[in-house]
C-alpha cells in the first residue's frame, strides 16, 4: 500500500460510505427517558451536526486510523490527510487545528478525534450506546412493572372499600330488621294490654250495674242493718245493703287526725249513694285522701260529706231527699270500697250515727 502525503487540493474520498465503514449510528440513543426519581444529563457528542458533518468526521477518523476507507464493496483507496485550516468550522467547534498527519502518526490522532467526537462507529461509542439502550430498556421495564403494581394496588383498595360498604349496608339492614321486629312485638303487647283493660273495665261496669240493681231492689225493705233507705220525715239513709265498719271517734293510725271523723258504710262498688235530705250540692270533685267527694248543704246549713265515691251523678244544683247523687267506690286513702259519711255543723264534725237517728232513721 502506498504511503499517504498531505495534498493541498483536499481529500480524495470514494462514494458515500455505507454503515459498514464505521458502524451504524442510532439517533434514538440520546432520547432515552429518564429513570423515575432520577435525572440524567446526556453527554453532548462534541456539538456535531447529525448530517453531512458527521459523515466528514467519520471519513477523517478512518483516514487517520488506517488511511483507508471502505465504500460498499469497492476495493480500498489510498487517502491523503491534508492540512485543514477550516477544520473547526467543519466540526462546528470554535478551536483551531492545523498540521499534517502521516501514516504512522495519523492513527492516534484519528482515534482520538473519533473518540472525542463520539463517532458511533468506534468501540467506545458503540459500547456506550449499547449501555444507554440497555439502561433505557431496563427503565422502561421497571416503569411498566411499577405501573402494573400501582394498578393492582388500586384495584385491591377499591375491592376492599366495596367490601366494607357492602358489610356496613348489610349490618344496617340487620339492625333495621331487628328494630322493626322489636317495634312490632311492643305494638302487639300494647294492643293486648289495651284489650285486657277494656275487658276488665267492661266486667267492672257490669258488676257495678248488677250491684246497683240489687241495691235498688233492696231499697223497699229487708232485714238486718242497712236493709232499706226509707225516708222518715223528709230524710233518707245515704245508701243500702251496707255494713257499718268504722264509727265516729274510733282511734287508730289509719286516720291522719288520730281518730275517725265520720261513719263508714261498707258496700259493693257502684252501690247508689242518696241525698239524706233536701239541699244543694256546693262542691264535687277530687279531694286528696277523701278521693272523689260530694258536699251537700242542707236547708239548715248542715253539710254532709260523701267521700271515696267511684262516680258522681250530681255535681251542682239542688237535690231532694233520697235522690241518687253518686256511687260507692274506693278512691283516695282507703282499704276497701265503702262510703265515708261526715256531718258538719258550723265547720265542726258531729257523730253521723247520732245525727241520722235524730232524724228518725234506723241505721
Amino acid at each position: 500500500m502506498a504511503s499517504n502525503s498531505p495534498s493541498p487540493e483536499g481529500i480524495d474520498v470514494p462514494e458515500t460510505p455505507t454503515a459498514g465503514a464505521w458502524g451504524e449510528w442510532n439517533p434514538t440513543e440520546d432520547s432515552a427517558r429518564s429513570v423515575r426519581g432520577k435525572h440524567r444529563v446526556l453527554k453532548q457528542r462534541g456539538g456535531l451536526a447529525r448530517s453531512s458533518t458527521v459523515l466528514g468526521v467519520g471519513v477523517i477518523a478512518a483516514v487517520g486510523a488506517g488511511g483507508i476507507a471502505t465504500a460498499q464493496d469497492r476495493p480500498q483507496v489510498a487517502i491523503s490527510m491534508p492540512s485543514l485550516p477550516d477544520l473547526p468550522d467543519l466540526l462546528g467547534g470554535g478551536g483551531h487545528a492545523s498540521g499534517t498527519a502521516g501514516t504512522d502518526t495519523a492513527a492516534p490522532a484519528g482515534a482520538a478525534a473519533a473518540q472525542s467526537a463520539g463517532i458511533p462507529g468506534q468501540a467506545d461509542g458503540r459500547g456506550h450506546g449499547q449501555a444507554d439502550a440497555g439502561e433505557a430498556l431496563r427503565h422502561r421495564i421497571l416503569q411498566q412493572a411499577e405501573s402494573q403494581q400501582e394498578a393492582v394496588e388500586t384495584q385491591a383498595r377499591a375491592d376492599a372499600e366495596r367490601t366494607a360498604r357492602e358489610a356496613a349496608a348489610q349490618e344496617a339492614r340487620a339492625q333495621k330488621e331487628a328494630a322493626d321486629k322489636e317495634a312490632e312485638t311492643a305494638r302487639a303487647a300494647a294492643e293486648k294490654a289495651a284489650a285486657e283493660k277494656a275487658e276488665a273495665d267492661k266486667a267492672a261496669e257490669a258488676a257495678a250495674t248488677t250491684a246497683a240493681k240489687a241495691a235498688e231492689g233492696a231499697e223497699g225493705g229487708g232485714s238486718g242493718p242497712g236493709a232499706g233507705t226509707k225516708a222518715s220525715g223528709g230524710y233518707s239513709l245515704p245508701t243500702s245493703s251496707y255494713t257499718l265498719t268504722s264509727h265516729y271517734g274510733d282511734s287508730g293510725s289509719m286516720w291522719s287526725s288520730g281518730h275517725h271523723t265520720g261513719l263508714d258504710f261498707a258496700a259493693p262498688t257502684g252501690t247508689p249513694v242518696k241525698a239524706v235530705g233536701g239541699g244543694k250540692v256546693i262542691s264535687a270533685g277530687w279531694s286528696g285522701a277523701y278521693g272523689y267527694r260530694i258536699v251537700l248543704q242542707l236547708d239548715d246549713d248542715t253539710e254532709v260529706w260523701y267521700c271515696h265515691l267511684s262516680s258522681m251523678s250530681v255535681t251542682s244544683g239542688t237535690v231532694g231527699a233520697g235522690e241518687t247523687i253518686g256511687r260507692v267506690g274506693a278512691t283516695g286513702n282507703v282499704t276497701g270500697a265503702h262510703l265515708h259519711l261526715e256531718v258538719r255543723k258550723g265547720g265542726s264534725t258531729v257523730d253521723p250515727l247520732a245525727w241520722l237517728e235524730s232524724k228518725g232513721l234506723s241505721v
Side-chain angles (χ1 to χ4, degrees):
M1 180 180 298
S3 60
N4 298 326
S5 61
S7 174
E9 286 79 12
I11 302 174
D12 295 329
V13 295
E15 295 181 3
T16 303
T18 63
W22 50 78
E24 182 178 359
W25 172 61
N26 184 358
T28 63
E29 289 179 359
D30 293 336
S31 63
R33 295 174 61 186
S34 61
V35 182
R36 189 173 188 178
K38 299 180 181 179
H39 299 278
R40 289 185 54 208
V41 179
L42 298 178
K43 181 178 178 182
Q44 294 291 334
R45 303 295 184 177
L48 299 180
R50 300 298 185 181
S51 59
S52 60
T53 303
V54 177
L55 179 61
V57 174
V59 173
I60 297 172
V63 172
I68 299 175
T70 303
Q72 297 181 355
D73 296 332
R74 297 180 182 182
Q76 298 181 352
V77 179
I79 301 176
S80 300
M81 175 63 73
S83 59
L84 300 175
D86 297 328
L87 183 59
D89 295 336
L90 177 64
L91 297 176
H96 178 73
S98 64
T100 62
T103 304
D104 297 333
T105 62
Q115 182 176 3
S116 63
I119 302 302
Q122 303 300 321
D124 292 343
R126 183 182 297 107
H128 184 69
Q130 292 175 351
D132 288 348
E135 183 70 11
L137 178 60
R138 186 177 72 86
H139 292 333
R140 284 195 293 269
I141 294 173
L142 291 176
Q143 288 176 348
Q144 184 177 6
E146 290 177 359
S147 300
Q148 294 176 352
Q149 182 65 24
E150 291 178 357
V152 170
E153 293 176 355
T154 301
Q155 184 63 33
R157 286 194 297 270
D159 293 341
E161 292 176 357
R162 183 176 61 256
T163 302
R165 287 194 300 269
E166 292 176 354
Q170 185 176 2
E171 181 66 18
R173 286 194 298 270
Q175 293 179 356
K176 183 177 182 301
E177 291 176 357
D180 293 342
K181 185 176 181 180
E182 292 179 358
E184 183 64 23
T185 302
R187 185 164 50 252
E191 292 176 353
K192 182 179 179 181
E196 292 177 353
K197 183 178 182 300
E199 292 178 358
D201 292 342
K202 185 177 181 180
E205 184 179 355
T209 302
T210 301
K213 289 181 178 180
E216 290 175 356
E219 286 182 358
S223 60
T229 57
K230 288 183 179 180
S232 175
Y235 290 91
S236 175
L237 289 176
T239 188
S240 60
S241 300
Y242 59 85
T243 299
L244 297 179
T245 56
S246 296
H247 294 73
Y248 180 80
D250 290 347
S251 61
S253 60
M254 294 185 298
W255 301 287
S256 59
S257 61
H259 66 278
H260 197 217
T261 57
L263 182 65
D264 288 348
F265 297 78
T269 298
T271 302
V273 174
K274 310 291 185 176
V276 297
K280 63 180 179 179
V281 177
I282 61 174
S283 176
W286 182 261
S287 184
Y290 288 105
Y292 287 108
R293 181 191 68 174
I294 293 176
V295 177
L296 175 64
Q297 186 180 44
L298 303 179
D299 296 337
D300 62 355
D301 293 334
T302 299
E303 292 184 1
V304 182
W305 290 12
Y306 302 83
C307 307
H308 308 308
L309 303 176
S310 61
S311 63
M312 299 177 293
S313 303
V314 180
T315 57
S316 63
T318 59
V319 296
E323 184 177 343
T324 300
I325 60 175
R327 295 187 180 274
V328 175
T331 58
N333 187 16
V334 298
T335 58
H338 69 281
L339 169 65
H340 175 83
L341 186 73
E342 284 191 11
V343 179
R344 294 174 176 257
K345 286 188 174 185
S348 300
T349 59
V350 298
D351 185 358
L353 181 58
W355 184 82
L356 291 171
E357 290 178 347
S358 70
K359 301 303 181 182
L361 297 173
S362 176
V363 182

